[in-house]
């Protein structure tokens, strides 16, 4: 049968179920004000938490890097693509999170696809929280290890899975859950995992740059070190406003990944100029504490006032503040009603989130002003009245 057989019917079904996805075409730089199809919308949906993606200092570092080092890296890291800029960034990232070594990947998805199969295979076990990011699930699947999941937040469930696990055992978890904004209980997880001679891996895509002193991430925020969590992964395209990802840990871990992680070995190194821009982002993120304070203030005020309006928010203290709406059609309706009021918050629907938990994933950025929050709260209140 031709692989395109049945595709048109599948798309039509998706459309009828309110699950069809479409892209918006954005112009200009990232920031709270986005130009979408010729209209300016106030956006509360990006992962540009520190407001750095459109920062001219990063653009300048990128431009300077490109003038000095060109655009392409030309080859994989193991051939001739590993530039001094990549190497310096790795050393700075390792020092920042307190690890022996760090290794750059081109994207977070590739990091997760690379790490798990480099360490585990058939006969081994990966245990994951049900709400983990797709890339952690796919990394486990690709490894050929047995994949077990525990219901979100249910540590007794994890403990049961640990009791039955065989072979090498890795427990992998989002440190901050991407669609819910809540944080994994890292201290308790580390204790449980240590009792079972397993290892804990955290994906800190939404904590790095945002949580902990200087934005050092979820591990630092929990007061834990690499003895408790030997495998740390974070992305550079969210709070840091650039692109890429890194894995941090011991010398042994990083040297092993360099030999074995296929999405590391068989891909072209990121442009060295991007590494230069990321080095600038890391310095700014650490220095400008006001960005994290602004985020905290916006988040706290939003939660307080949204509760006053009777809105149903998930239990989160991070800049990810999901407004739970239930079915996909309701979430779409709210998103459209907000867009009519000049606000962009796309509906998040299954399969990105479990059936019946469609939502507006509202996120804040340090580039938002108090007046932007006023506007969001007014619009939400008016949509709520209309829906009631
Ligand atoms: C975004 C994200 C990734 C993927 O990172 P990219 O660099 O965008 O590929 C991985 N894990 C989590 C939890 C994420 O939110």
């Amino acid at each position: 049968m031709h692989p395109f057989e049945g595709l048109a019917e599948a798309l039509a079904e998706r459309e009828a179920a309110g699950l069809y996805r479409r892209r918006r075409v954005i112009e200009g730089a990232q920031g709270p004000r986005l130009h979408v199809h010729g209209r300016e919308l106030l956006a509360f949906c990006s992962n540009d938490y520190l407001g750095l993606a459109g920062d001219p200092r990063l653009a300048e570092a990128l431009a300077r890097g490109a003038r000095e080092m060109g655009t392409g890296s030309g080859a994989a890291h193991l051939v001739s693509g590993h530039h001094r800029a990549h190497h310096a960034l790795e050393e700075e990232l390792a020092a920042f999170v307190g690890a022996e070594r760090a290794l750059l990947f081109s994207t977070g998805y590739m990091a997760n696809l690379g790490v798990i199969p480099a360490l585990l295979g058939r006969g081994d076990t990966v245990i994951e929280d049900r709400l983990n990011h797709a890339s952690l699930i796919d990394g486990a699947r690709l490894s050929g290890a047995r994949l077990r999941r525990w219901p979100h937040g249910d540590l007794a469930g994890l403990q049961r899975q640990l009791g039955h696990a065989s072979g090498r055992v890795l427990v992998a978890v989002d440190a901050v859950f991407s669609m819910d904004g809540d944080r994994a209980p890292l201290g308790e997880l580390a204790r449980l995992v240590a009792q079972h001679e397993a290892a804990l891996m955290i994906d800190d895509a939404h904590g790095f740059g945002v949580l902990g002193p200087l934005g050092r991430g979820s591990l630092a925020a929990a007061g834990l070190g690499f003895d408790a969590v030997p495998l740390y992964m974070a992305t550079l395209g969210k709070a840091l406003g650039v692109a890429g990802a890194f894995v941090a840990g011991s010398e042994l871990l990083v040297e092993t990944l360099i030999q074995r992680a296929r999405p590391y070995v068989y891909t072209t190194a990121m442009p060295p100029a991007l590494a230069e821009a990321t080095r600038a982002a890391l310095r700014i993120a650490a220095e400008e504490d006001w960005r994290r304070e602004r985020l905290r203030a916006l988040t706290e005020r939003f939660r307080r006032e949204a509760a006053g309006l009777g809105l149903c928010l998930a239990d989160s203290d991070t800049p990810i503040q999901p407004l739970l709406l239930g079915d996909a059609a309701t979430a779409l309706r709210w998103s459209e009603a907000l867009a009519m009021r000049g606000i962009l918050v796309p509906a998040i629907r299954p399969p990105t989130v479990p059936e019946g938990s469609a939502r507006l994933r509202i996120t804040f950025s340090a580039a938002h002003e108090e007046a932007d929050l006023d506007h969001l709260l007014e619009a939400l209140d008016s949509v709520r009245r209309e829906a009631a």
Side-chain angles (χ1 to χ4, degrees):
M1 207 198 290
H2 193 281
F4 291 3
E5 190 74 32
L7 291 188
E9 292 79 0
L11 287 183
E13 265 172 42
R14 205 174 250 267
E15 175 86 61
L19 297 176
Y20 203 93
R21 297 158 182 236
R22 289 188 171 79
R23 302 167 306 168
R24 290 164 193 79
V25 180
I26 307 296
E27 285 175 53
Q30 267 300 323
R33 277 166 195 74
L34 279 185
H35 294 265
V36 187
H37 299 193
R39 260 184 90 202
E40 186 181 277
L41 295 176
L42 180 56
F44 290 92
C45 52
S46 88
N47 304 311
D48 178 26
Y49 302 117
L50 297 180
L52 293 177
D55 192 300
R57 291 170 294 179
L58 302 201
E60 182 49 37
L62 182 65
R64 193 170 353 98
R67 280 192 298 272
E68 287 169 17
M69 305 161 202
T71 50
S73 66
H77 284 278
L78 294 179
V79 180
S80 61
H82 188 62
H83 196 281
R84 187 146 63 118
H86 299 125
H87 206 75
L89 175 58
E90 287 181 344
E91 289 177 349
E92 287 159 13
L93 287 167
F96 189 64
V97 299
E100 275 175 23
R101 293 278 300 274
L103 186 69
L104 281 177
F105 281 79
S106 295
T107 73
Y109 214 117
M110 291 170 71
N112 284 339
L113 290 188
V115 169
I116 302 177
L119 300 175
L120 296 98
R122 285 169 62 96
D124 297 331
T125 311
V126 184
I127 316 178
E128 303 201 9
D129 187 293
R130 271 209 180 276
L131 296 188
N132 273 0
H133 190 263
S135 55
L136 278 177
I137 306 285
D138 290 357
R141 287 196 179 130
L142 192 58
S143 74
R146 199 176 298 102
L147 171 61
R148 292 283 182 257
R149 300 208 255 174
W150 77 87
H152 184 56
D154 173 16
L155 292 193
L158 167 60
Q159 195 155 19
R160 267 193 306 280
Q161 296 287 7
L162 278 165
H164 297 140
S166 55
R168 297 184 175 83
V169 183
L170 179 71
V171 174
V173 71
D174 284 18
V176 175
F177 289 89
S178 54
M179 295 299 133
D180 292 70
D182 58 329
R183 311 200 223 173
L186 297 184
E188 285 167 79
L189 286 172
R191 255 192 311 283
L192 258 181
V193 166
Q195 284 163 9
H196 287 84
E197 290 180 15
L200 180 59
M201 166 179 186
I202 68 172
D203 174 337
D204 204 20
H206 301 275
F208 183 69
V210 174
L211 301 176
L214 305 183
R216 290 183 202 275
S218 295
L219 207 48
L224 296 172
F226 282 78
D227 47 342
V229 182
L231 245 162
Y232 178 90
M233 173 275 187
T235 63
L236 305 169
K238 288 172 179 154
L240 255 60
V242 191
F246 69 99
V247 173
S250 64
E251 175 85 20
L252 176 67
L253 171 71
V254 167
E255 285 301 319
T256 300
L257 295 179
I258 291 172
Q259 317 307 315
R260 290 199 198 162
R262 292 165 64 87
Y264 182 80
V265 175
Y266 297 107
T267 202
T268 302
M270 69 161 69
L274 268 186
E276 282 299 289
T278 309
R279 296 177 70 196
L282 188 62
R283 277 193 297 276
I284 294 169
E287 277 166 20
E288 299 187 352
D289 236 354
W290 67 264
R291 293 178 185 273
R292 280 174 290 278
E293 273 153 33
R294 166 83 59 85
L295 270 178
R296 260 193 299 278
L298 288 166
T299 303
E300 279 168 22
R301 187 183 148 213
F302 174 72
R303 288 191 67 78
R304 203 168 51 240
E305 299 192 18
L309 297 176
L311 296 170
C312 178
L313 295 181
D315 190 12
S316 155
D317 67 349
T318 66
I320 303 170
Q321 291 293 324
L323 173 60
L324 297 168
L325 293 168
D327 62 289
T330 307
L332 269 184
R333 225 171 26 248
W334 276 64
S335 175
E336 282 159 13
L338 284 175
M340 283 179 3
R341 290 163 175 83
I343 289 187
L344 178 64
V345 188
I348 306 285
R349 293 165 282 167
T352 305
V353 291
E355 205 63 52
S357 74
R359 65 196 66 186
L360 296 183
R361 176 181 180 268
I362 296 167
T363 58
F364 296 107
S365 151
H368 282 124
E369 306 282 346
E370 292 288 338
D372 298 333
L373 184 48
D374 296 341
H375 189 163
L376 172 66
L377 286 160
E378 281 160 24
L380 283 171
D381 191 34
S382 123
V383 174
R384 179 191 63 88
R385 283 165 204 272
E386 206 173 71

